[in-house]
Amino acid sequence: MNYRPASSNQDRGEVKRFDSEQDFSDWLEKADSLAAYGGDSGVEMGMGMTRAISSIQTEDMAVAAPMASVSEKSSFDMGGGSAPDRFSGTNVQVAGIDEPDILKTDGREIYFSPGIMPILYRGMPTPMPLDVMPETFSIEEPYYDQQSSISVVKAFPAEELALDSEIKGDGDLLLHDNILAVLSYDGVRAQNVSDPASPQEVWQVSYENNSWLVDARLKGGELFLILSSSINYARPCPYAPLLGIEGKVEIACSAIWHPVIPVPTDVTYTVLKVDMATGKVKQTASFVGAQGSSAVYMSADNIYATYSLPADTFTFVSGFLMANADVVPSYVLEKLDQVINYDLADETKSVELRNVLGRWFQSLDQDEALSLVTEMNNRIGDYIKVHLRELQQTGIVRLDTNKLEVKSSGSIPGTLLNQFSLDEYDGFLRVATTSGETGGMFWMYGLGGGRNDSANDLYVLDMNLKVVGQALGMGPDERIYAVRFVGERGYVVTFRQTDPFYVLDLSNPRRPTVEGELKIPGYSSYLHPLKDGRILGVGQEDNRVKLSLFDVTNPTDPSELDKYSLNEYWSDVLDTHHAFLLDAEHEIFFLPGSNGGYVMSYSDDELKLSKAVSGIRARRALYLDNYLYVAGDDQIVVLDMTDWQRVNQLELR
């Protein structure tokens, strides 16, 4: 299929700023009318900033490195005492840009924030199988320790493992130059941890006016916060999402961006650039939106904000009826032509079209109605297969990171999976989308329910956000489960019954091609580049965690070199890439499970279990020199990576 989005569709992504409070209110009234008339039926709509800033990329970083790590002591100010020659950082999409997580290290100290968790009474009996249960048996109810805290642990040398101090509260962490930022549900608190035994709070900001944190990123000494704020319909602007160290941070009406085409809206998203050392807000940018899954991607110079555009069901259904004139009465087609030419908003036309169709359907006897419904359901299915990319559109805006001003806008068919669906490379933006799965958007027209027809595509956009290249039709009637871009290659996993693994050649951005495909059982929901020509997939097969080692040396003939199944239904890696740890020097990786932690080797192109760490509800792991630190809800276990023996352990609760 040689589908290319029409220029009118690309123009739907145009955005501008409000002129005044009245302008905002008028826009909201139009947007609300869309929801009232069912404009969002079955389709996620609204301009949503995402749950994640996907990455920030340096200019000369040709290949997105999977892991932030430090290999030399001089890279950080370690202060007095010994320091490791190497240590790991949080697994991030792009090296050098940190993402919030529950575990951080500076090479000597570990900062761990497991959050509020159930604490079981010691001596609690172990549950036994029913056939060996005694006649009288009871288990004490667990209680919850509400006094959550962040553990500051002396981690290096390993034999001196000890708890230095605790910081009250919990939240995700970011660390830069002895400043530890704790991102909690109500604000950000920054601690100076230069003296690990006595952390001192140096600044604090709090979320205001029904605002909450969506996500954050750290680039050098700049903290990027993404906040979402409920709209006050009585007075939508100005609004103040944050109480900063210098008072309320107020966002003026003229600083809020919105799509030119009104979309159902219930929140405003604000990007704030904060100085990590002082807590001062340096710059802001704001967008209207709706709560839901969208995506934001940051490069060194640009911020890409994506949002879902409303489905134009009126145009779609009108086209369907016109294309099937042999079963539609002439008077209905004549009335439809009149409605199309009305100088009215599409939502009003949609109401009139439903009235016309309703009168037609009511004029039929039961036999005629059954025959029509059966025929229409079949025909609309065929029509959707050809036109499914017209149903769902994602708008994209590009902002300059220096001034946070919109530089360009556009749109593409489909919806995005997560932060890994976006990637900027060599002046182009690559985006992977899924189109289709219509939900119940046609019920209101009496044309049947949703369908599972879908298509998965790759689009390449220039800096004006115009589509310049595309590779279409991966995994028909499936949806994307995982995406990874590595330099001039792209890797996409789709799934419904089997796991097609696609390799894309992106060396020519104007002619991207699907070079190879591999179909295997199960699916991968996280892809991680290993050494040259090797990609690791983490997913599931037969309700167990499955690891796949892919050989992509020949992009036209990818293969699964090896696979390994864990006796686990779930791993946190399936939910967050932060739970994954790679040590390329030892050719091993770590992933947590509900029964413990697992150290896997991928040397010699084989997946082998090097060590299973039991007796711990593993959450994360990191390495300092040749020691692996496995962090669980209530303890840290240290392993010597030369023989995988336990060398130390610290109880945290």
Side-chain angles (χ1 to χ4, degrees):
M1 182 183 300
N2 296 318
Y3 173 85
R4 178 176 292 275
S7 59
S8 59
N9 282 339
Q10 294 192 19
D11 293 342
R12 295 182 73 204
E14 184 181 353
V15 294
K16 61 182 294 187
R17 286 185 285 198
F18 291 116
D19 295 327
S20 63
E21 179 183 341
Q22 187 61 49
D23 188 22
F24 196 167
S25 296
D26 292 344
W27 190 91
L28 285 173
E29 185 176 351
K30 294 178 182 178
D32 284 348
S33 69
L34 281 175
Y37 286 112
D40 61 345
S41 177
V43 179
E44 186 178 12
M45 302 201 308
M47 182 175 180
M49 301 284 286
T50 177
R51 292 184 172 273
I53 296 179
S54 107
S55 63
I56 304 174
Q57 193 170 347
T58 57
E59 283 294 324
D60 58 351
M61 193 173 297
V63 178
M67 179 75 66
S69 62
V70 178
S71 59
E72 298 181 2
K73 299 178 185 178
S74 59
S75 298
F76 276 70
D77 178 12
M78 303 302 296
S82 60
D85 291 324
R86 67 183 198 116
F87 60 90
S88 62
T90 300
N91 181 32
V92 296
Q93 188 176 10
V94 176
I97 305 304
D98 205 5
E99 302 177 8
D101 194 34
I102 61 175
L103 184 72
K104 297 292 176 181
T105 184
D106 57 13
R108 287 187 315 183
E109 299 290 321
I110 287 177
Y111 307 91
F112 185 41
S113 176
I116 297 174
M117 63 176 186
I119 305 297
L120 302 182
Y121 285 109
R122 294 188 183 278
M124 172 179 168
T126 302
M128 292 181 285
L130 291 176
D131 58 352
V132 296
M133 291 278 282
E135 293 184 4
T136 58
F137 181 81
S138 64
I139 298 177
E140 295 182 78
E141 290 292 327
Y143 72 96
Y144 286 84
D145 179 9
Q146 299 295 332
Q147 302 300 317
S148 59
S149 62
I150 299 162
S151 298
V152 181
V153 176
K154 181 179 181 181
F156 194 84
E159 59 270 17
E160 297 180 13
L161 184 71
L163 182 66
D164 274 336
S165 62
E166 291 184 319
I167 301 172
K168 290 183 179 180
D170 63 0
D172 283 340
L173 309 175
L174 285 167
L175 179 66
H176 179 75
D177 285 350
N178 291 323
I179 300 296
L180 179 72
V182 182
L183 286 66
S184 61
Y185 71 95
D186 59 351
V188 182
R189 294 178 295 117
Q191 304 278 333
N192 187 322
V193 292
S194 56
D195 180 3
S198 182
Q200 300 295 317
E201 184 173 302
V202 290
W203 58 264
Q204 178 179 353
V205 298
S206 59
Y207 315 135
E208 298 284 310
N209 299 317
N210 294 317
S211 301
W212 60 94
L213 180 69
V214 176
D215 213 330
R217 288 296 181 270
L218 178 65
K219 178 187 178 184
E222 293 181 330
L223 172 64
F224 291 84
L225 299 175
I226 309 295
L227 299 185
S228 178
S229 307
S230 298
I231 291 176
N232 179 353
Y233 283 81
R235 190 189 181 196
C237 62
Y239 72 101
L242 188 79
L243 179 61
I245 64 171
E246 298 177 317
K248 290 186 177 181
V249 178
E250 187 170 271
I251 308 299
C253 300
S254 59
I256 303 171
W257 295 87
H258 67 91
V260 171
I261 298 176
V263 296
T265 298
D266 55 11
V267 296
T268 305
Y269 290 90
T270 305
V271 184
L272 302 102
K273 186 190 298 185
V274 181
D275 187 285
M276 187 72 164
T278 65
K280 291 183 179 180
V281 176
K282 301 168 70 174
Q283 288 175 327
T284 66
S286 296
F287 300 82
V288 298
Q291 298 183 58
S293 57
S294 299
V296 174
Y297 176 87
M298 296 182 65
S299 68
D301 300 316
N302 300 300
I303 298 175
Y304 299 91
T306 76
Y307 55 94
S308 296
L309 290 166
D312 186 359
T313 55
F314 171 77
T315 300
F316 188 89
V317 172
S318 298
F320 166 70
L321 295 173
M322 292 293 190
N324 291 273
D326 59 310
V327 295
V328 181
S330 58
Y331 77 89
V332 173
L333 294 175
E334 291 173 1
K335 185 62 176 177
L336 175 59
D337 186 62
Q338 294 176 8
V339 173
I340 291 174
N341 292 299
Y342 284 162
D343 185 17
L344 297 172
D346 282 348
E347 63 268 18
T348 305
K349 293 181 181 180
S350 178
V351 172
E352 183 61 27
L353 176 57
R354 296 205 301 271
N355 290 336
V356 172
L357 294 178
R359 288 191 291 270
W360 171 31
F361 297 154
Q362 290 173 5
S363 70
L364 304 175
D365 62 32
Q366 291 185 349
D367 290 345
E368 292 172 330
L370 178 60
S371 176
L372 178 64
V373 168
T374 302
E375 184 67 19
M376 284 297 196
N377 280 341
N378 279 275
R379 293 196 180 197
I380 200 167
D382 294 336
Y383 190 82
I384 287 174
K385 288 181 179 179
V386 177
H387 298 273
L388 59 83
R389 291 180 179 86
E390 300 169 18
L391 286 170
Q392 297 161 313
Q393 295 276 320
T394 293
I396 308 175
V397 294
R398 179 173 69 90
L399 298 90
D400 171 70
T401 55
N402 184 33
K403 297 182 179 180
L404 294 184
E405 292 181 349
V406 170
K407 296 298 183 181
S408 57
S409 61
S411 68
I412 54 175
T415 59
L416 279 61
L417 173 67
N418 56 27
Q419 67 183 71
F420 290 97
S421 298
L422 292 155
D423 180 75
E424 181 189 298
Y425 180 78
D426 199 21
F428 293 92
L429 181 69
R430 295 92 68 93
V431 189
T433 69
T434 296
S435 297
E437 298 185 336
T438 58
M441 69 171 62
F442 301 120
W443 277 113
M444 60 183 174
Y445 295 98
L447 298 176
R451 299 179 59 89
N452 292 325
D453 305 278
S454 60
N456 304 287
D457 306 319
L458 183 284
Y459 297 96
V460 181
L461 291 73
D462 61 17
M463 289 295 96
N464 292 318
L465 295 186
K466 302 302 180 184
V467 175
V468 297
Q470 55 196 5
L472 307 180
M474 293 175 286
D477 297 333
E478 299 182 334
R479 66 180 179 88
I480 290 176
Y481 266 60
V483 183
R484 198 69 190 242
F485 295 100
V486 183
E488 295 181 346
R489 291 272 187 90
Y491 305 96
V492 176
V493 171
T494 63
F495 179 74
R496 191 175 297 278
Q497 298 296 333
T498 60
D499 174 5
F501 173 79
Y502 295 93
V503 181
L504 296 99
D505 180 358
L506 308 176
S507 57
N508 183 347
R510 300 184 184 279
R511 291 183 177 273
T513 57
V514 177
E515 292 293 297
E517 175 185 353
L518 173 67
K519 291 186 177 181
I520 54 177
Y523 68 88
S524 297
S525 59
Y526 177 63
L527 299 175
H528 197 99
L530 300 176
K531 52 190 177 181
D532 291 342
R534 301 293 184 266
I535 298 290
L536 176 71
V538 183
Q540 281 190 329
E541 181 183 354
D542 296 331
N543 294 322
R544 288 191 175 188
V545 174
K546 176 190 177 183
L547 309 173
S548 294
L549 182 61
F550 297 108
D551 180 0
V552 293
T553 306
N554 181 357
T556 64
D557 187 26
S559 62
E560 186 181 46
L561 292 177
D562 200 8
K563 66 178 182 178
Y564 196 97
S565 294
L566 299 178
N567 189 27
E568 297 275 3
Y569 171 75
W570 188 258
S571 169
D572 286 349
V573 176
L574 302 179
D575 184 58
T576 172
H577 57 285
H578 297 151
F580 181 86
L581 173 70
L582 175 72
D583 183 358
E585 181 174 315
H586 289 86
E587 293 190 316
I588 61 98
F589 59 87
F590 171 89
L591 67 164
S594 59
N595 298 319
Y598 302 89
V599 180
M600 301 293 303
S601 167
Y602 60 91
S603 63
D604 300 323
D605 287 336
E606 290 185 272
L607 294 175
K608 296 180 180 179
L609 180 64
S610 296
K611 179 68 175 180
V613 186
S614 62
I616 183 173
R617 170 62 175 92
R619 304 286 298 281
R620 299 289 190 272
L622 57 83
Y623 60 78
L624 307 177
D625 273 352
N626 290 321
Y627 294 96
L628 183 72
Y629 295 71
V630 180
D633 282 335
D634 58 355
Q635 61 180 309
I636 294 177
V637 174
V638 185
L639 305 175
D640 187 331
M641 299 173 74
T642 61
D643 57 12
W644 298 114
Q645 296 300 306
R646 296 193 186 205
V647 296
N648 213 336
Q649 183 170 329
L650 176 66
E651 298 292 332
L652 298 178
R653 297 288 192 274

